[in-house]
C-alpha cells in the first residue's frame, strides 16, 4: 500500500463528507394545527390546570397540548371537549380555517355510550351487574350508525380546511384480556366484551380515516397498558386514584404515549 497516499485519501473522504447533500428528510412545519374531539383527547391528569367551558374542560397535559409544545407547528388550537359526540364537531369546527393544515380527531366513542359503559363497569366492581346484557343491544345499534356520522365529520373538515392533513386517534383500551386485578370482581367474559367493543370502535374509526384519506394512530402495545397493568404502566385507569387520571380515562402517561405516537406519524 502507498502510505503517502493515505493523507490524500483521507482528505478526499472528508471533503466528500462535507460536500455530500444532506439526505435527512426535511421536517415540515405546519402553519395551523387544530385538535378536535372528545374526552380521550381532552382529559389528562386531574392535577393539571384546565381550560374551556365547564362542560368541555380540557387538561393542560392532554395529547393536543403536548403536540402544541413538541410538534413542528407554528400555531394551533385545542378545542376538544370532554363530552363530545360527532354531532358536536360542527361547533368545534369553528376553529378550522382554510389555512389549517394539520388536524387531530378523536371522536365516535361517546356515540356508542362510552360514558354509560364505563359507569356500568365501575359499578360492577362493587355490585352484581351484567353490563354486556344491559348494554350490548343499544351499543351495537349506535355502532352501526357511527360510520355515516364520521363521514359527515370528515366532510366538514374537508370543506373548512381542504388542505389539512388529518390524523384520527384510536381509543386506548380501558381493560385487556386475561388477569385484571383492578377488575377482579368483574367476570372475565364481561371484560372480554369490553375488549371486543374497543376493538370494534377502533376498526370503525380506522376505516373512516381510510375512506377519507386520513391517517389512523394508536400507540403500539396499547392493550398491555390498560387498567389491568401495574399503575406505573397504565395508559388508562378505572378510578384514577393511583395515576392522577380521571376515572375511566387515559392517564397522563397514556396522553404522553398518544402524543408520541402522533408525533411519530407527523414526522413520517
Amino acid at each position: 500500500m502507498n502510505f503517502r497516499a493515505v493523507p490524500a485519501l483521507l482528505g478526499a473522504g472528508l471533503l466528500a463528507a462535507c460536500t455530500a447533500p444532506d439526505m435527512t428528510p426535511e421536517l415540515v412545519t405546519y402553519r395551523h394545527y387544530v385538535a378536535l374531539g372528545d374526552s380521550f383527547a381532552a382529559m389528562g391528569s386531574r392535577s393539571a390546570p384546565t381550560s374551556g367551558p365547564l362542560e368541555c374542560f380540557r387538561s393542560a397535559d392532554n395529547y393536543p397540548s403536548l403536540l402544541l409544545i413538541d410538534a413542528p407547528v407554528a400555531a394551533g388550537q385545542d378545542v376538544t371537549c370532554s363530552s363530545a359526540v360527532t354531532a358536536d364537531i360542527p361547533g368545534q369546527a369553528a376553529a378550522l380555517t382554510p389555512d389549517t393544515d394539520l388536524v387531530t380527531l378523536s371522536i365516535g366513542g361517546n356515540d356508542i355510550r362510552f360514558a354509560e359503559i364505563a359507569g356500568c363497569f365501575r359499578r360492577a366492581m362493587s355490585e352484581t351487574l351484567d353490563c354486556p346484557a344491559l348494554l350490548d343491544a343499544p351499543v351495537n345499534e349506535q355502532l352501526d350508525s357511527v360510520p355515516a356520522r364520521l363521514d359527515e365529520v370528515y366532510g366538514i373538515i374537508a370543506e373548512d380546511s381542504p388542505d389539512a392533513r388529518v390524523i384520527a386517534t384510536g381509543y386506548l383500551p380501558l381493560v385487556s384480556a386475561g388477569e385484571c386485578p383492578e377488575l377482579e370482581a368483574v367476570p372475565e367474559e364481561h371484560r372480554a366484551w369490553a375488549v371486543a367493543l374497543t376493538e370494534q370502535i377502533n376498526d370503525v374509526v380506522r376505516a373512516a380515516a381510510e375512506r377519507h384519506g386520513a391517517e389512523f394512530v394508536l400507540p403500539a402495545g396499547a392493550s398491555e397498558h390498560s387498567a389491568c397493568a401495574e399503575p406505573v404502566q397504565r395508559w388508562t385507569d378505572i378510578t384514577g386514584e393511583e395515576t392522577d387520571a380521571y376515572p375511566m380515562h387515559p392517564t397522563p402517561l397514556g396522553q404522553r404515549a398518544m402524543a408520541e405516537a402522533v408525533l411519530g406519524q407527523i414526522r413520517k
Side-chain angles (χ1 to χ4, degrees), residues 47-83:
S47 61
T50 59
S51 62
L54 180 61
E55 70 277 10
C56 285
F57 71 94
R58 52 194 74 95
S59 301
D61 61 350
N62 60 19
Y63 85 72
S65 296
L66 297 174
L67 288 174
L68 284 167
I69 296 171
D70 295 336
V73 294
Q77 189 174 358
D78 175 12
V79 293
T80 57
C81 174
S82 57
S83 58

Side-chain angles (χ1 to χ4, degrees), residues 5 9 23 46 48 64 84-85 92 100 113 124 142 156 160 163 168 173 193 266:
L9 289 172
M23 301 303 292
R46 282 192 285 188
V85 295
Q92 294 185 18
T100 301
R113 307 189 179 197
Q142 293 295 325
I156 292 168
D160 293 345
D163 298 324
W193 176 81
I266 289 173

Side-chain angles (χ1 to χ4, degrees), residues 229-260:
E230 293 295 322
V232 294
Q233 295 293 326
R234 290 176 191 167
W235 290 352
T236 57
D237 207 352
I238 303 298
T239 66
E241 293 173 358
E242 297 178 281
T243 57
D244 192 29
Y246 290 94
M248 302 290 185
H249 278 87
T251 65
L253 189 62
Q255 290 288 3
R256 169 56 69 181
M258 185 64 79
E260 290 175 354

Side-chain angles (χ1 to χ4, degrees), residues 196-211 216:
L197 183 61
T198 303
E199 293 173 350
Q200 284 180 283
I201 187 62
N202 280 337
D203 286 344
V204 168
V205 170
R206 181 188 292 106
E210 291 174 352
R211 285 197 302 276
F216 175 85

Side-chain angles (χ1 to χ4, degrees), residues 86 108 111-112 142-151 201 204:
T86 50
D111 288 74
I112 64 166
Q142 293 295 325
L143 189 63
D144 288 341
S145 68
V146 172
R149 296 179 189 180
L150 290 176
D151 288 341
I201 187 62
V204 168

Side-chain angles (χ1 to χ4, degrees), residues 130-152:
D130 189 336
C131 296
L134 291 169
L135 297 170
D136 188 65
V139 164
N140 276 288
E141 181 179 353
Q142 293 295 325
L143 189 63
D144 288 341
S145 68
V146 172
R149 296 179 189 180
L150 290 176
D151 288 341
E152 293 175 2

Side-chain angles (χ1 to χ4, degrees), residues 207-230:
E210 291 174 352
R211 285 197 302 276
H212 295 276
E215 300 154 74
F216 175 85
V217 168
L218 186 67
S223 63
E224 300 170 10
H225 296 274
S226 74
C228 300
E230 293 295 322

